[in-house]
Amino acid sequence: MDHLLPVEILEAGHAFPQALAACGDLDALLRLKGAYVGREGSHAARLMELLKGAPKEQKRDLGAAINALKQQWEEGLKARQAELEAAKKNLNALASSWDPSLPPPVPARGALHPLNRLMDRLVEVFRPLGFHVEEGPEIETEAHNFDGLNIPEDHPAKASSDTFYLAAHPELLLRTHTSPVQVRTLLRVAPSLERHGGIRFLAPGRVYRKDEIDPTHSPMFHQVEGMLVGHDIGMQHLKGTLEYALRALFGPHTEIRLRPSYFPFVEPGCEVDVSCPLCDAKGCRVCKGSGWVEILGAGLLHPNVLRYAGIDPEEWSGWAFGMGVERMAMMLSQTPDLRLFFENDQRFLKAMGGLD
């Protein structure tokens, strides 16, 4: 049955035992697991795509070959995990036997995490434009997380398969974006909006979604969102602001482009791309040869978002944007695996000092 499998998959299967033995710690094993049996981009995922497109008469034999190979990988990973956990336990037991006569170790000098530094950098870029920072709770209500953002009842994000709800309090959840901060802020400032002539602010912070951990996904990640509300605000103000900010981040020759897209809380909405800063838009692995990299989503505020906060959309208008901090950090540092930012490897964190 092996003859039904692609050559590259067979080669990966032959290389698996050696790669498994080379995993010296649980972090390395987790990366190997993602490469072989992860949800996206793994060998197993490619095999399932192959099975879907296979002729009907081959599906039975091909399915059996795929299941046998996946079982071999999963059993090997499970056994190696048990070995590494046992070795780690023994090492911890040895480390606990310390010599009190030795001088104490010199404490390492601490520093902000690379993701926090990047969020601070984003905030500083917008400060000259009059933006300040607003914060909100990470445990949110459905009203702030969904209803106030014009997200309909049948939207997939409202399903428990996508969002972390609290079992003891079903009406509460871990926020899926920092947009609830925008809802809370608009509700708070609505009565005094005219006196201040509008508002502009950023909402950085942690957010949570039910994603499997792999090289590009995590159930916890970070966002920076921005909002501006004023009189006669249009797409030209959004484009000009983002052009200024992204040039401050990536260099004065950076170009941006806006592509139409849909988000429930903006109308019209757009995806914003920047000319690839790693290859000067000539084409590379990061931009997939196109010269452009998608960096954030944005658009003009939907009138329903303003109405929810008690703001008249006939008198006021505005825009909002949101970007993923990890995505930008991975691009700036050319880091291939999102998990490296959360594994606390001191060598990696030290190397990331170049982010700012």
Side-chain angles (χ1 to χ4, degrees), residues 3 41 86 90 99 113 130 135 143 149 180 218 238 240 264 277 296 304 350:
H3 69 279
N90 293 335
D99 185 348
H113 191 276
E135 296 180 333
L149 295 165
S218 170
L238 171 63
L296 56 88
N304 289 345
K350 185 176 181 181

Side-chain angles (χ1 to χ4, degrees), residues 58-69:
Q58 291 185 6
K59 282 186 180 291
R60 181 175 178 179
D61 289 342
L62 181 59
I66 289 173
N67 287 335
L69 197 54

Side-chain angles (χ1 to χ4, degrees), residues 30-328:
L30 188 60
R31 285 192 285 273
L32 185 68
K33 182 178 180 180
Y36 273 83
V37 297
R39 186 181 66 175
E40 294 183 10
S42 68
H43 296 307
R46 287 197 289 272
L47 284 172
M48 296 312 295
E49 290 297 323
L50 177 66
L51 181 61
K52 289 179 183 178
K56 186 177 180 180
E57 62 273 12
Q58 291 185 6
K59 282 186 180 291
R60 181 175 178 179
D61 289 342
L62 181 59
I66 289 173
N67 287 335
L69 197 54
K70 286 176 61 179
Q71 184 177 0
Q72 176 189 341
W73 293 342
E74 289 169 353
E75 290 177 352
L77 289 163
K78 186 176 180 180
R80 185 59 176 158
Q81 180 177 350
E83 292 174 4
L84 291 172
E85 287 175 347
K88 185 177 181 180
K89 185 176 180 180
N90 293 335
L91 189 62
N92 290 339
L94 289 173
S96 64
S97 57
W98 58 281
D99 185 348
S101 66
L102 293 175
V106 177
R109 184 177 178 182
L112 284 175
H113 191 276
L115 296 178
N116 289 96
R117 292 206 307 276
L118 182 53
M119 284 194 287
D120 289 347
R121 180 178 170 187
L122 290 166
V123 169
E124 291 306 313
V125 164
F126 281 90
R127 282 199 189 278
L129 302 179
F131 285 75
H132 67 277
V133 171
E134 294 280 352
E135 296 180 333
E138 294 179 15
I139 296 178
E140 267 295 0
T141 65
E142 281 193 316
H144 290 128
N145 198 79
F146 297 124
D147 301 342
L149 295 165
N150 195 45
I151 295 176
E153 284 295 328
D154 58 354
H155 195 279
K158 284 196 170 186
S160 59
S161 59
D162 282 5
T163 298
F164 291 103
Y165 287 89
L166 276 63
H169 301 278
E171 75 283 2
L172 299 179
L173 50 91
L174 296 182
R175 66 183 183 186
T176 59
H177 41 195
T178 57
S179 302
V181 177
Q182 299 175 348
V183 176
R184 288 175 175 272
T185 302
L186 290 180
L187 287 167
R188 189 187 78 238
V189 305
S192 59
L193 199 59
E194 187 64 54
R195 186 170 75 250
H196 295 292
I199 188 171
R200 58 188 72 189
F201 62 92
L202 299 178
R206 281 187 297 266
V207 298
Y208 307 86
R209 295 179 190 173
K210 280 191 175 179
D211 284 331
E212 295 291 334
I213 299 177
D214 63 32
T216 57
H217 296 84
S218 170
M220 185 278 291
F221 55 102
H222 298 77
Q223 286 185 338
V224 172
E225 299 191 16
M227 177 178 282
L228 181 147
V229 176
H231 292 295
D232 301 318
I233 301 299
M235 288 293 287
Q236 70 274 23
H237 302 104
L238 171 63
K239 184 175 186 294
T241 302
L242 292 178
E243 195 167 57
Y244 163 83
L246 294 173
R247 284 179 176 174
L249 281 169
F250 298 113
H253 302 296
T254 300
E255 298 293 332
I256 75 168
R257 69 178 183 184
L258 278 59
R259 293 179 289 107
S261 189
Y262 169 75
F263 305 102
F265 32 86
V266 293
E267 179 60 40
C270 61
E271 300 280 2
V272 181
D273 302 333
V274 295
S275 53
C276 183
L278 302 177
C279 66
D280 293 328
K282 294 185 176 80
C284 66
R285 177 185 59 82
V286 173
C287 65
K288 298 179 181 177
S290 69
W292 295 93
V293 179
E294 179 187 325
I295 205 73
L296 56 88
L300 298 185
L301 288 178
H302 196 289
N304 289 345
V305 174
L306 295 172
R307 289 193 189 98
Y308 185 89
I311 298 171
D312 185 0
E314 298 296 325
E315 182 180 355
W316 298 91
S317 55
W319 50 252
F321 70 84
M323 66 178 74
V325 178
E326 282 83 354
R327 178 182 177 85
M328 185 174 291

